[in-house]
Structure formats: structure tokens, C-alpha cells
């Protein structure tokens, strides 16, 4: 069995048999992978990490050729993102992030840009920057990097430049011009400011997007459209998103 070492964020974990854990990771060099940590529940000191969700670890694993479940022999904690764990809202928002990565990324689809984005976002969540804003930025960048980004540069049907009023179509995956509006009668109106904010966030690095001002009206519409778009593509709600919505304002 080939042996590998990589940095990996923990997406989720579940008990397996009497003493083991199965852990889903998003790793720098292999993308989303699953591993078994044998005997960890019988000997908590066996690995140099508490194996907490969204912690960053360095792992060593033996790659299984016959299944997608690899044997993890070493897991050393590098960053537990401690500051975001003391606040329930931030903790739940970090769970939305890991759930979204699990849902959007196929196993072993390596994407270092997504890995680096996750590190920046989880670090940012532990600061005094508004975590809701960080979450919205993450959703836009994640959709874009995983190939699900909404088509906003022109009309998704006729490719004409958008002039005047346009609508956003979930089923067609982007903006439709007035001429094409009949192609999706459920398309909804969208502020120009919302479109401009999404395009700005897609094109700029995470750090510069943190300075972008979002007025409450735009922020509300942005979240509504992003959540509907994610739900449409995943064909389900993100479970942690529902918890996060209930916690807003806590
Ligand atoms: Zn059109």
C-alpha cells in the first residue's frame, strides 16, 4: 500500500465499530478523502490530535487501492482554530462551510485553491470580522472554484450583454435578459448591486473582498439567492445552514 503525507482539514467524523473512527478530510494534495483511525477511541493519546471537526492536521495514510477508505496511521494537530470554537454562531457557520465542501466536492478531486480558501476562511472566522459576511464570501468563492458559479456576465440564454433590467433564473443558472424572460417564468428580480458584489468577490482574493461594503438589502438578497442556488444544485438544504439561520442574532 503506498504511503502519503498531507495537510488535511477534518470535515466530519463518525464512530466505527468498538474503538475506531471514520474521518472525512479535505486535504491539500488529494482533495476529499476518507480514512479510518483504528483504536483511537480506546487510546485517546494514540494520535496527536483531538480529531475535531474543521481542525487542520498533518496526516500520514496508507492508500487503499480497493476502496475509498484509507488507513490513517498518523494525525498531528497543526491548528484547531480555537477562537471560533468559543462562539456557537461561528461554530455553526464553520459547520456550514465543511458541509458545503463535503456536498460539492467529489472524492479525490484535488483543488489547492479551495484548500487555501478554507484555511483563510476558518482563520477569519476566529477574528472580529463579521462571520456572516465571511460565510457569504466563502459561498460565492466556493461555487466559483468548484465549477458551479452562476452565469452573471451576460444573458445565460442568448449571451447578449445585460442592459436594463434582468432576472435571475435558478434553473437556467444565471441572469436572463428581458428578451429571454419568458424562458423561465419563475426567475426573480435581482439588484444590480447584488450582481456587482458577486462578480467582485469572484474576481478578487479573499483578503480584499473582506473590505467590500454590503448594505443590508444587498446582503439579504445575496444570501437568499446563494442559498436557493446551492439548494437547487445539491437538490437538498444544507443541514447546518438551517441551524445557522436560527442562530443569527444570538
Ligand atoms: Zn437573453
Amino acid at each position: 500500500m503506498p504511503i502519503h503525507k498531507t495537510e488535511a482539514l477534518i470535515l466530519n467524523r463518525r464512530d466505527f465499530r468498538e474503538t475506531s473512527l471514520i474521518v472525512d478530510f479535505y486535504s491539500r494534495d488529494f482533495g476529499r478523502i476518507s480514512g479510518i483511525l483504528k483504536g483511537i477511541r480506546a487510546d485517546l493519546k494514540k494520535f496527536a490530535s483531538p480529531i475535531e471537526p474543521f481542525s487542520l492536521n498533518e496526516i500520514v495514510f496508507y492508500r487503499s487501492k480497493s476502496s475509498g477508505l484509507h488507513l490513517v496511521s498518523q494525525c498531528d494537530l497543526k491548528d484547531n482554530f480555537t477562537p471560533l470554537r468559543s462562539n456557537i454562531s461561528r461554530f455553526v457557520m464553520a459547520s456550514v462551510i465543511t458541509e458545503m465542501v463535503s456536498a460539492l466536492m467529489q472524492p479525490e478531486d484535488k483543488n489547492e485553491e479551495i484548500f487555501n480558501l478554507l484555511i483563510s476562511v476558518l482563520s477569519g472566522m476566529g477574528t472580529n470580522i463579521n462571520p456572516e459576511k465571511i460565510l457569504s464570501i466563502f459561498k460565492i468563492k466556493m461555487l466559483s472554484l468548484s465549477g458551479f458559479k452562476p452565469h452573471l456576465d451576460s444573458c445565460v440564454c442568448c449571451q447578449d450583454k445585460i442592459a436594463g433590467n434582468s432576472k435571475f433564473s435558478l434553473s437556467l443558472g444565471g441572469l436572463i435578459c428581458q428578451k429571454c424572460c419568458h424562458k423561465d417564468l419563475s426567475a426573480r428580480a435581482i439588484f444590480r448591486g447584488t450582481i456587482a458584489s458577486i462578480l467582485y468577490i469572484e474576481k478578487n482574493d479573499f483578503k480584499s473582498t473582506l473590505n467590500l461594503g454590503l448594505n443590508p438589502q444587498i446582503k439579504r438578497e445575496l444570501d437568499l439567492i446563494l442559498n436557493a442556488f446551492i439548494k437547487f444544485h445539491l437538490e437538498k438544504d444544507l443541514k447546518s445552514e438551517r441551524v445557522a439561520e436560527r442562530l443569527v442574532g444570538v
Side-chain angles (χ1 to χ4, degrees):
M1 279 203 271
I3 186 164
H4 300 284
K5 185 193 250 188
T6 186
E7 284 184 302
L9 282 157
I10 293 181
L11 299 175
N12 57 60
R13 48 175 273 178
R14 54 203 175 274
D15 290 349
F16 181 71
R17 297 206 173 131
E18 292 298 300
T19 59
S20 303
L21 273 183
I22 290 180
V23 180
D24 293 329
F25 299 95
Y26 193 77
S27 66
R28 183 184 290 283
D29 301 303
F30 303 90
R32 182 160 74 78
I33 50 173
S34 297
I36 181 162
L37 280 70
K38 285 189 175 166
I40 183 169
R41 284 157 54 225
D43 177 8
L44 296 176
K45 294 213 170 87
K46 188 171 173 191
F47 294 85
S49 169
I51 325 282
E52 290 187 289
F54 46 80
S55 61
L56 174 65
N57 298 271
E58 185 167 81
I59 62 169
V60 174
F61 70 94
Y62 293 87
R63 192 185 198 125
S64 163
K65 281 191 177 151
S66 54
S67 81
L69 189 62
H70 311 298
L71 175 66
V72 178
S73 62
Q74 212 175 311
C75 185
D76 298 337
L77 182 68
K78 289 193 75 181
D79 193 341
N80 209 23
F81 302 105
T82 308
L84 72 80
R85 292 177 193 277
S86 55
N87 177 300
I88 181 80
S89 297
R90 287 172 194 263
F91 186 91
V92 173
M93 285 186 219
S95 310
V96 175
I97 287 166
T98 47
E99 195 183 338
M100 201 171 147
V101 174
S102 298
L104 286 176
M105 297 309 289
Q106 294 299 313
E108 309 219 10
D109 184 8
K110 173 187 168 173
N111 189 322
E112 211 163 349
E113 264 189 283
I114 291 180
F115 183 83
N116 290 332
L117 173 68
L118 284 165
I119 304 286
S120 304
V121 164
L122 292 169
S123 305
M125 283 267 174
T127 65
N128 55 7
I129 302 166
N130 181 348
E132 285 176 53
K133 184 176 177 180
I134 295 181
L135 185 58
S136 303
I137 293 171
F138 169 76
K139 286 177 183 171
I140 293 166
K141 289 205 155 298
M142 183 67 202
L143 285 172
S144 171
L145 291 171
S146 58
F148 288 95
K149 81 172 175 180
H151 185 101
L152 301 176
D153 301 292
S154 58
C155 171
V156 70
C157 295
C158 69
Q159 308 299 322
D160 273 4
K161 205 164 167 266
I162 297 283
N165 290 334
S166 57
K167 288 193 168 179
F168 185 79
S169 163
L170 279 178
S171 56
L172 297 170
L175 292 182
I176 45 177
C177 70
Q178 279 175 316
K179 212 171 54 194
C180 299
C181 267
H182 62 280
K183 292 188 178 162
D184 178 7
L185 297 175
S186 64
R188 50 163 297 153
I190 181 168
F191 294 122
R192 278 171 182 237
T194 307
I195 302 167
S197 302
I198 296 176
L199 289 172
Y200 179 86
I201 291 167
E202 280 177 359
K203 284 177 189 140
N204 289 278
D205 63 75
F206 175 71
K207 229 175 169 180
S208 3
T209 58
L210 291 173
N211 299 320
L212 177 71
L214 290 174
N215 76 41
Q217 208 179 20
I218 301 269
K219 171 78 172 66
R220 217 171 17 249
E221 187 176 74
L222 197 65
D223 289 340
L224 220 100
I225 284 183
L226 285 174
N227 291 345
F229 195 68
I230 291 165
K231 185 179 174 180
F232 182 83
H233 281 289
L234 298 179
E235 295 174 348
K236 63 174 184 181
D237 272 324
L238 293 172
K239 271 185 286 172
S240 40
E241 181 71 64
R242 288 204 298 269
V243 181
E245 278 167 11
R246 283 201 294 271
L247 280 170
V248 166
V250 168

